[in-house]
Amino acid sequence: MPLETFNGGTPLTMGVELELQLVSFSDYDLTASSPDLLHLLARKPFPGNVTPEITESMIEINSDVHTRHSELLAQLHEVRDTLVTAGEQLNIGIAGGGTHPFQKWVERRIFEKPRFKQVSQLYGYLAKQFTVFGQHVHIGCANGDDALFLLHSLSRYLPHFIALSASSPFVQGGDTLFNSARLNSVFAFPMSGRAPFLLSWDEFEHSYFAKMEHTGVIKSMKDFYWDIRPKPEYGTIELRVCDTPLTVERAAALACYLQALCAYLLERKEEPPAEDDYLVYNYNRFQACRFGLDGTVVHPKTYESLSLREDILTTLRKMDPYAEKLGGTAALNHLMQVTHMGSDAQYLRDQFNASGSVEGIVDAAVRRFRGRM
């Protein structure tokens, strides 16, 4: 089908999607409970939107469109409380985190939905292995050209979001030594990675998307698993590299950091994006996934090696006036604390060391999502 018209609207609006784990209280493994949970939640209005995900051990929640941190956070609190209450009726826990620490992909069940069945038939075991959990953030753009400009300008900052959200150090019962192991599952898909370097929406639509559609490889933007992708039907760009944090507070803070960065980038004060920026893209992304806040990245313009932690702190301070204007000061303060104190990945490792079991990690994640730790 042809690419949708870019439905440009109010710039710098934001929305959040969170993929969440459904956990059995009996053994802390994932449980195929999304059909029951969704049926229960459908009985009364939900504060946002809740939908199935590719396997029955996960759900996705979507916020409304917001402009300010306080509004987004208030809705995410309401969503969390609604989910926790419903989960308790079914004896299941709801948790964040980019991976479940010991679930086995072979035990997962594909949700009964035509698109999920098609994905499963195409990708085989990768579909069940895709039982990983990410946060996606949408930012409103005035037009398609602005969307592509932001998409490529943000490539230099993607390691910030990977490191700040990292919450997937454990896979299949073992410590991967990565802070964000979730993204390794995403990279297995052929349409993952980064978008082609095009800054004109007309060129993107007619010279790239139309050709890709003609090949038969893709049918819509949903078939691209890029780290950032445009969403013309919403008039947004969608950042997709974040692990789902353990708390909704961190999820809201990450969204507001992206909002402030976009406000800054739209002033065109930085050197414009270029194809050569991607020379160090995969290396920087690996550093953030593997080492988190302790990683080292290479600046795409100067080729200077930078401490990722210090680069984040410098950028957060630079974004202060933009966040203040947008009502996001508290969000940036939260991320300042994360940068100094450590990510969710470090917290999960600390919980494993304290409990001595992978089940203890899940118990801590469930309690932290509820806001009880």
Side-chain angles (χ1 to χ4, degrees):
M1 58 183 292
L3 185 62
E4 299 95 329
T5 300
F6 194 91
N7 187 27
T10 306
L12 303 178
T13 54
M14 58 183 170
V16 165
E17 303 169 6
L18 295 175
E19 296 162 345
L20 296 167
Q21 305 184 33
L22 305 182
V23 177
S24 168
F25 280 132
S26 63
D27 59 6
Y28 290 104
D29 201 352
L30 291 180
T31 176
S33 297
S34 67
D36 292 338
L37 180 61
L38 291 167
H39 178 75
L40 178 61
L41 291 170
R43 294 179 180 177
K44 56 185 179 180
F46 187 81
N49 192 37
V50 58
T51 57
E53 255 299 338
I54 191 163
T55 66
E56 293 184 348
S57 303
M58 56 196 303
I59 57 168
E60 177 180 289
I61 64 96
N62 313 108
S63 77
D64 295 329
V65 177
H66 294 284
T67 59
R68 300 182 73 81
H69 172 250
S70 57
E71 299 165 355
L72 173 61
L73 182 57
Q75 184 180 28
L76 290 179
H77 279 151
E78 191 177 359
V79 167
R80 177 199 63 192
D81 294 345
T82 302
L83 289 175
V84 168
T85 299
E88 287 175 344
Q89 294 181 50
L90 298 174
N91 198 35
I92 60 172
I94 315 294
T99 56
H100 184 278
F102 63 88
Q103 66 95 13
K104 293 181 173 59
W105 66 264
V106 72
E107 297 174 356
R108 305 284 64 85
R109 295 206 300 248
I110 300 296
F111 191 92
E112 287 289 342
K113 185 177 177 180
R115 174 169 170 77
F116 295 152
K117 292 296 183 183
Q118 292 167 7
V119 169
S120 178
Q121 290 167 7
L122 175 61
Y123 291 116
Y125 88 105
L126 291 179
K128 289 186 176 182
Q129 199 177 52
F130 207 43
T131 306
V132 292
F133 310 85
Q135 173 181 354
H136 302 168
V137 183
H138 288 260
I139 298 293
C141 302
N143 53 64
D145 288 357
D146 279 357
L148 292 174
F149 171 81
L150 285 173
L151 185 156
H152 293 295
S153 298
L154 285 165
S155 66
R156 176 239 182 293
Y157 298 100
L158 284 194
H160 293 200
F161 290 91
I162 295 171
L164 287 167
S165 69
S167 61
S168 53
F170 293 91
V171 173
Q172 303 282 301
D175 190 331
T176 65
L177 301 184
F178 275 67
N179 279 259
S180 175
R182 177 189 70 92
L183 282 173
N184 293 327
S185 295
V186 180
F187 299 159
F189 288 83
M191 295 292 105
S192 64
R194 55 98 165 183
F197 188 75
L198 296 168
L199 295 174
S200 160
W201 186 258
D202 184 71
E203 188 177 1
F204 178 83
E205 180 179 1
H206 297 106
S207 296
Y208 178 77
F209 185 89
K211 290 179 181 178
M212 286 297 295
E213 184 188 26
H214 186 66
T215 67
V217 173
I218 60 100
K219 293 182 175 64
S220 74
M221 285 302 304
K222 287 184 177 181
D223 296 320
F224 293 112
Y225 292 77
W226 294 333
D227 294 342
I228 314 180
R229 67 183 179 189
K231 293 290 284 182
E233 66 271 34
Y234 301 137
T236 66
I237 56 168
E238 179 188 14
L239 179 79
R240 299 167 52 82
V241 297
C242 294
D243 286 353
T244 295
L246 297 180
T247 65
V248 296
E249 288 80 9
R250 188 150 308 165
L254 289 163
C256 292
Y257 181 32
L258 181 62
Q259 182 193 39
L261 263 175
C262 288
Y264 163 72
L265 291 169
L266 284 171
E267 292 184 348
R268 266 69 168 187
K269 291 181 177 179
E270 289 196 345
E271 189 176 341
E275 175 66 43
D276 279 358
D277 295 346
Y278 289 100
L279 291 173
V280 295
Y281 183 80
N282 288 338
Y283 173 82
N284 288 345
R285 188 171 57 174
F286 165 78
Q287 282 282 321
C289 289
R290 171 66 175 86
F291 301 106
L293 296 165
D294 294 323
T296 300
V297 294
V298 177
H299 194 289
K301 301 294 188 185
T302 66
Y303 301 155
E304 177 187 4
S305 290
L306 304 168
S307 157
L308 182 50
R309 189 187 306 272
E310 291 303 318
D311 192 39
I312 292 171
L313 289 171
T314 298
T315 307
L316 286 171
R317 287 189 287 266
K318 193 173 184 178
M319 293 305 112
D320 272 344
Y322 299 91
E324 182 177 6
K325 184 176 180 180
L326 294 163
T329 298
L332 266 59
N333 289 340
H334 176 98
L335 296 180
M336 279 276 192
Q337 185 176 19
V338 173
T339 310
H340 286 298
M341 302 297 293
S343 69
D344 283 339
Q346 182 60 55
Y347 172 82
L348 292 172
R349 286 191 170 106
D350 291 342
Q351 294 303 308
F352 177 74
N353 291 334
S355 68
S357 71
V358 286
E359 291 82 5
I361 300 170
V362 182
D363 178 58
V366 169
R367 286 185 283 123
R368 196 163 178 85
F369 183 77
R370 292 179 176 184
R372 297 181 184 175
M373 286 185 69

